[in-house]
Amino acid sequence: MVTKASAEDSCWTACWSSISQVEKFHIILNMEKEEKKYVNKAEEDEMEIYGYDLCRWKLVLVTVGVICSGGFLLLLLYWMPQWRVKATCKRSALKDCEVVLLRTTDEFKIWFCAKVRVMPSLGANPLRNPNPLVHKVSNGHAVHFSESAAEENKNDLKKYLPIRYFTHHSVKYFWNDSVQSFDVVRGLDESTFCSAIHNEHSTGLTKGMHDYRKAFYGVNEIAVKVPSIFKLLVKEVLNPFYIFQLFSVILWITDEYHYYALAIVIMSVISIVSSLYTIRKQYVMLHDMVAAHSIVRVSVCRGNQEIEEILSTDLVPGDTMLIPSNGTIMPCDAVLLSGTCIVNESMLTGESVPVTKINLPNPSEYPKAVGDEIYSPEVHKRHTLFCGTNVIQTRFYTGELVKALVVRTGFSTAKGQLVRSILYPKPTDFKLYRDAYLFLLSLVVVAGIGFLYTIVNSILNEVPAHTIIIESLDIITITVPPALPAAMTAGIVYAQRRLKKIGIFCISPQRINICGQLNLVCFDKTGTLTEDGLDLWGIQRVENARFLLPEERACSESLLKSEFVACMATCHSLTKIEGVLSGDPLDLKMFEAIGWILEEATEEETALHNQIMPTVVRPSKQLSPESKQATDQEMELFELSTGYEIGIVRQFPFSSVLQRMCVIARVLGEKRMDAYMKGAPEVIASLCKQETVPVDFEHVLEEYTKQGFRVIALAHRKLESKLTWHKVQTISRDAIESNMDFMGLIIMQNKLKQETPAVLEDLHKANIRTVMVTGDNMLTAISVARDCGMILPQDKVIIAEALPPKDGQAARINWHYADTLAKCTSSSPAINSEDIPVKLVHESLEDLQMTKYHFAMNGKSFAVILEHFQDLVPKLVLHGTVFARMAPDQKTQLVEALQNVDYYVGMCGDGANDCGALKRAHGGISLSELEASVASPFTSRTPSISCVPKLIREGRAALITSFCVFKFMALYSIIQYITVTLLYSILSNLGDFQFLFIDLAIILVVVFTMSLNPAWTELVAQRPPSGLISGPLLCSVLSQIIICLAFQTFGFFWVKQQSWYEPWTADSELQYFLACF
């Protein structure tokens, strides 16, 4: 074998030597191309990555270049990371590189660089125990050492693996041999089965394993460091804008324009101080927000069953922490292993309603009841405690503490990712800014022409070299005005102040200009268009598969022990916090309507049993017959009713995906348990025995939803007597939620906010399209859309019902009129798809208000259309007005789909489940002042959609001001450029006070007073242009330039032709001075 291998090596060497140098170069080049690697592959922040090594001779050349250029080359390399790396390094393989160069794969193609560091470690994978025998390092070699090598000689680094990593945007990337690239070290939130969480990770970490993991995951903190004023000052001063100003000031001082230079310096200092104050204030605000879960002491379980108290900053994925009974603010993301927690997740969702978190079921203990699957914080969020959320209280088993397994720490947590998106936002892509750079580039070209003209003209007139240099450079500072960025920012600053006065706060000022272009606004329904609270309108029970007449009250004596009222009393997620009933507003209204009492077991009562004591509900005494003047029979009834109690044995929390919740309860004294379920009527009816569902169910439901009511359906099932308490705790949800008996409907009323119709009417008059995106029922949403004027009375609504592939049939879409939904079936669509009046994407968006059709669809149909009917998506979103039963990620997808058909999209929500859409929209407006609003560029102090037209008006004012300022500054620079060029032809120039008067007394006064113009009092149909490169704007600027050029040129040559005109020369100036003295 050795001989054969040697022969193969010799053959390869011979072949390689026979290849020409050109072919070798192409082979190496192709190998480099094949080695293109990515980090965060297929994710939002995907980046290309290239490896480089420092090159000494390149460093020497760069050093010489920096010295020769007076430091300008150093500035250029500071601004351009890719140039800096390529100028000082040479390409190398990623696995051996010293520096990495990163480039985003999005449309911005932004470059970053980072230094690769090396740390010693016992292994390469933090989630696995370090192999005591063989460890592979990044270069493929192996190191052998015994299990106790670290203890024998900790300083002997040869017995450790050199682990290579770099840090980018607060995230560490480690070398991964399996993918031959750098990768983020994941926690237990990926590729970990639920059974493994219980069986392999729940016992806690040993001290040694904890230290081993901490080397990879680092300190558990979301560090928002407030930079020192000096660092901020250096970073701000090194901005290209201020460097150009510094260059201009030096040039003007050299040319003896002292007063003008001093004025510009004063303006720059004021601008820098103002900018530093704003930036530092934002850092401090973000730091204070993150500090809500700053360092606390937590108790963790170690592998030897001991409990150790450590700082929260020392937590790593795999630690088992104890949740204190009096609650805490979570310092990490953790999955609940045992017990129950009541959590306030307002920081993440914007919803301050307490949420009940239950422990993650163990599939290995009950394989028939629970299927094993990979754990995911998003999928298993009912079992996950998220970083920054407030655990209000806990419930636990006797002898078993409430435990949670740490799955993510630091910037990997849900809150950490939110903070990262604020610290490192994506650049704002707006046509105005792209056009502004093009316009500046054209000014640079004009300046270049003037630069060459000045040099040639000066040489021909034998001007001294010193003067040639100053005058030729001066023409550049005249053509590209240094005050342009500050002047354009002034309008945005004034608009931000005006917004603050009307209660709208902005964390992204550049978005104000973009809001001036909004031509579509998406609205959440509940809490945004309608009031937050719901009122119980009435109930409609079902008996013998027939609807009874609607009843206004559910707390009547005759219904006291009915299964309908029992369902209302038990099927909820309410809890008592400090003696006050808290929970979902709908559940609260439902429970208050029956007038029952909820009692929860205390910690002392729980400790007396081997299980969690159930929550008990019972009717209040006022609901029972009066004891006064009661017969013996009535007295017996009174005693019986007061002893009537129902214990909630197990709860399956409400799921927005399943659109229902379920509880298992038992009446005191009864042997068999009952299952109660409530949720979306369509879903509940599908899980009930068909013989118990009234035949007119769809008709009755349609009547209520068309009137704008929110309808909840109830169902009940008597469980088998063999189901004991222990079996109930492990039974699957699907086994319970089937073969139910349909009991009836609860009708809730959700009123429109008073200002909603008027605001939407104003938007329609301004040709701004409105769309409803809600998690509510389809017909309820359509009814609200009609009531608020989003859909006019005469307009038709077409429901697109998309069905996924099933039983070999392809996916299809059924079209129905909303008014005839109940009469239509999937086999006979109400409308022929060829007759659907959809517009093409390239057609004008301005004509949409004339349409008589609106599309409506639910989240399931939207998902099917996205997957199977991509070509229909642009056409449907052009006319789609109501999107119901939409999940949070689907709201974001809808915003993206609207942006893809060239809409400038605004999103207005109350913060609950709207964070993704608020961030993705061009202008996201949160009506919640909770911490979730940090994801939104704008936050309204008053929870009213009246802020939307106000924001658009201010955006239009700021945008128009930006256009006017840009045109004015561009014209001023070109006019002054023409003036100076003409004066250079006779070897003359403007004086210091002339420049000073033009720039300060005329230009800056006009620019800054122009920005003070407030927004117009109402929205109009005409929107400002979106870019500078448009016919009217270019025509305006060019015509003014031509007029000024003609007048100045005519006047200049006309004066030269006058008899009294005498050309200037150095001798004539000397003679003039001699004559004066």
Side-chain angles (χ1 to χ4, degrees), residues 72 240-254 469-470 472-474 476-477 482:
F72 179 73
F241 160 61
Y242 288 116
I243 293 297
F244 181 63
Q245 277 200 338
L246 178 63
F247 163 75
S248 303
V249 166
I250 295 172
L251 186 65
W252 295 330
I253 292 174
T254 307
I469 294 173
I470 292 176
S472 57
L473 292 175
D474 194 30
I476 297 176
T477 65

Side-chain angles (χ1 to χ4, degrees), residues 224-432:
V224 180
K225 297 179 181 178
V226 180
S228 66
I229 295 177
F230 177 75
K231 284 186 178 179
L232 288 174
L233 178 63
V234 171
K235 187 176 180 180
E236 188 72 15
V237 168
L238 292 182
N239 185 295
F241 160 61
Y242 288 116
I243 293 297
F244 181 63
Q245 277 200 338
L246 178 63
F247 163 75
S248 303
V249 166
I250 295 172
L251 186 65
W252 295 330
I253 292 174
T254 307
D255 205 16
E256 298 182 354
Y257 289 108
H258 300 296
Y259 294 107
Y260 182 62
L262 180 62
I264 295 296
V265 167
I266 293 172
M267 286 177 51
S268 299
V269 169
I270 294 173
S271 176
I272 289 173
V273 170
S274 173
S275 179
L276 288 181
Y277 172 77
T278 304
I279 294 171
R280 185 173 171 81
K281 185 180 178 182
Q282 289 177 349
Y283 270 109
V284 170
M285 288 177 60
L286 188 58
H287 177 269
D288 292 344
M289 185 202 81
V290 173
H293 79 284
S294 57
I295 304 174
V296 294
R297 299 199 72 86
V298 294
S299 298
V300 296
C301 300
R302 290 296 174 216
N304 54 7
Q305 302 301 319
E306 290 183 1
I307 294 177
E308 180 185 356
E309 195 174 78
I310 62 173
L311 293 175
S312 58
T313 51
D314 292 328
L315 288 172
V316 297
D319 272 331
T320 301
M321 64 180 292
L322 306 181
I323 310 297
S325 58
N326 59 346
T328 184
I329 293 180
M330 288 299 296
C332 59
D333 287 354
V335 59
L336 203 56
L337 298 174
S338 61
T340 306
C341 293
I342 297 168
V343 186
N344 186 331
E345 293 188 327
S346 60
M347 189 283 302
L348 289 178
T349 65
E351 188 66 64
S352 58
V353 174
V355 178
T356 301
K357 301 283 186 174
I358 59 176
N359 63 298
L360 182 73
N362 188 352
S364 59
E365 290 184 4
Y366 309 99
K368 293 183 180 179
V370 183
D372 200 4
E373 58 184 340
I374 293 177
Y375 167 76
S376 167
E378 287 71 33
V379 176
H380 299 91
K381 61 183 178 181
R382 286 291 178 183
H383 315 291
T384 304
L385 305 172
F386 292 101
C387 177
T389 58
N390 184 13
V391 179
I392 301 170
Q393 64 184 35
T394 63
R395 298 180 191 171
F396 54 89
Y397 293 89
T398 300
E400 186 175 357
L401 300 173
V402 179
K403 297 179 181 178
L405 179 70
V406 178
V407 293
R408 296 187 299 202
T409 57
F411 279 99
S412 298
T413 63
K415 184 172 183 177
Q417 292 170 11
L418 177 62
V419 173
R420 281 186 69 228
S421 68
I422 300 170
L423 283 174
Y424 314 107
K426 274 193 171 183
T428 304
D429 184 25
F430 187 38
K431 197 171 186 295
L432 169 65

Side-chain angles (χ1 to χ4, degrees), residues 817-848:
Y817 283 116
D819 296 337
T820 57
L821 178 62
K823 301 175 185 177
C824 299
T825 62
S826 58
S827 59
S828 57
I831 307 172
N832 190 336
S833 59
E834 294 180 358
D835 298 332
I836 300 297
V838 292
K839 279 183 175 288
L840 296 176
V841 182
H842 59 76
E843 290 186 328
S844 172
L845 303 181
E846 304 294 337
D847 300 331
L848 285 176

